[in-house]
Amino acid sequence: MATTLRPRRTVAELPIRLDPAIRDQGERVSAALREAILAGLVASGARLPSSRALAEVLGVRRNGVVAAYERLMSDGLIEARHGSGTFVAAQLPSPGPSLTPPDQYAPEFPAPRPFALGNTLTDAALLRRLANAVRRRIVAATPEQLGYGDPRGSAHLRAEIARHLAAQRGVRCDPGAILVVNGTQSGLRLCIEALLEPGDAVWMEDPGYGASRRTLEATGRIAVPVPVDAEGLDVAAGRRLGPAARAAYVTPSHQFPSGVSLTMARRVALLEWAESAGAYVIEDDYDSEFRYAGPPLTALAGLGSSRVIYLGTFTKTLFAALRLAYVVLPPALVARVVAVRATHDRFPPRFMQDAVADLIADGLLAAHVRRMRPRYREARDVVAATLRDASAGALEVGRPAQGLHLVAMLPAGLPREAGVQIRTAAGIEARLLSETRFDQRGLDGFVLGFSGYDRSSLVEAAHRLGRAARSYVSRPRRFAMMTEHRQ
């Protein structure tokens, strides 16, 4: 029999999943519906259930569904038709690619093992003082301190840094010439982009600090490898290899990785080159705080040149996650570098800057360094002694007067793969000396971080490395066969 009744539109089946981590019911329902609609799981124009019906199906309150529908309507993803119901919008963006579960691409950050670099000991008492200082700063914050503020960073911290550098590193500077940054690589990149043009050449120590080389090359500047010997960077070689260089990056107080200090003759030669070439010397004061024989050396920036840019950090004195470092600029460069900073970031969190400044002003940071220095010296000594005994002469072990790593050299005449095979057999986390060079040829060895680990783990790792080196050097062919068999 004929009828005038229209068939009812089918209510969309909703393949949605509510996220229990979202506490508000309206937000929970709207997030699930939004995901299903944008993924194309619910077709354009499909009719949605009434708020009462969907609430019953999902087991939530009706007002939560009503709130969800209102949110999606404001986003333009659904629309209400008077007398007909609620529908998915007719025009929607094409579904995007499905999301890869995070565990398939998330990087791994295992706990550092001896002899990984950059690890430091934590001090629970100092951390509590830092937390208290941050809390006090937040509670007592003024409107000015809650704003953007000076792009150079906290005036309080910059003043304390200036006092510290004058007393400990021989660097006299105005706080107005200091920029607080998120790490030395952040400061390096900022200076490179502000002062150098793409294609400009920069002297880099060889062997040297790989992270700085990568930062330089990522900005389109050209790294010129300049050899390092027992006196530090060979300035004469730099003049030959990079005569048109616009800057030099150096670690003069404690060269990475060799540990040598740039001699006064080389310092004078480097500054004379910078003056005559109109170039900049970027001084990374690597591990300068931890000197085990006498007071810290005077920094290159303390010799009075207007061509030196100084990079310092709190990473080793406190901890890496702090992300707090600083740049000391010649006064004439401040405006240029600050202007470029507007294209990067403003500065690290203000409250943390002021809290660290409080620790410095109260003498707590200096006291912490004094406490850590003998502990790191002991770690250096136990690693060096254990390596010498366990390797039976297969490793030549240096005992640096400064810094948080040492170098253990392999003898000449070994195959190029010797270091890799020994490291694998020892099961240690260490950088090879060859891996810090532009050209990986030459004598190889191990760059071993000794800070931040307990004595027993250092001794065990040093024993494994020493025994592996001794075994390889005495019978390299048999060692290689045994290593391949284990793998």
Side-chain angles (χ1 to χ4, degrees), residues 2-170:
T3 178
T4 59
L5 294 176
R6 287 183 169 182
R8 294 183 61 189
R9 295 193 179 189
T10 303
V11 174
E13 294 184 5
L14 299 178
I16 64 175
R17 180 182 63 84
L18 299 182
D19 185 352
I22 303 176
R23 299 180 63 180
D24 182 84
Q25 286 193 349
E27 293 177 1
R28 190 185 310 165
V29 175
S30 63
L33 284 171
R34 183 185 297 108
E35 181 180 352
I37 292 170
L38 293 177
L41 301 178
V42 184
S44 299
R47 184 170 182 263
L48 297 174
S50 68
S51 58
R52 187 185 304 278
L54 185 56
E56 290 177 358
V57 171
L58 298 179
V60 299
R61 296 189 301 273
R62 183 187 177 193
N63 60 359
V65 177
V66 171
Y69 279 3
E70 290 174 349
R71 286 190 180 93
L72 296 174
M73 286 181 192
S74 66
D75 288 339
L77 294 176
I78 65 175
E79 55 192 21
R81 299 176 190 172
H82 183 68
S84 299
T86 305
F87 298 82
V88 178
Q91 293 185 333
L92 293 171
S94 300
S98 59
L99 296 178
T100 304
D103 59 357
Q104 293 187 19
Y105 63 83
E108 294 184 2
F109 298 100
R113 300 177 298 155
F115 298 101
L117 300 169
N119 196 38
T120 55
L121 293 172
T122 57
D123 185 329
L126 187 68
L127 292 180
R128 285 194 296 271
R129 299 294 289 268
L130 178 61
N132 290 336
V134 171
R135 190 178 300 110
R136 286 196 305 270
R137 286 284 171 178
I138 293 175
V139 170
T142 65
E144 183 273 331
Q145 291 169 333
L146 294 173
Y148 287 107
D150 192 326
R152 292 171 298 180
S154 158
H156 181 27
L157 179 57
R158 289 187 285 114
E160 290 302 329
I161 290 171
R163 279 192 279 272
H164 165 77
L165 292 177
Q168 299 295 324
R169 309 296 292 120

Side-chain angles (χ1 to χ4, degrees), residues 18 55 76 117 243 251 256 336 342 363 414 426 453 456:
L18 299 182
L117 300 169
T251 53
F256 181 88
R336 290 170 62 182
L414 297 181
Y453 305 103
S456 61

Side-chain angles (χ1 to χ4, degrees), residues 258-272:
S258 71
V260 302
S261 298
L262 192 65
T263 63
M264 183 55 70
R266 292 278 179 87
R267 291 176 182 233
V268 171
L270 180 60
L271 296 179
E272 287 178 346

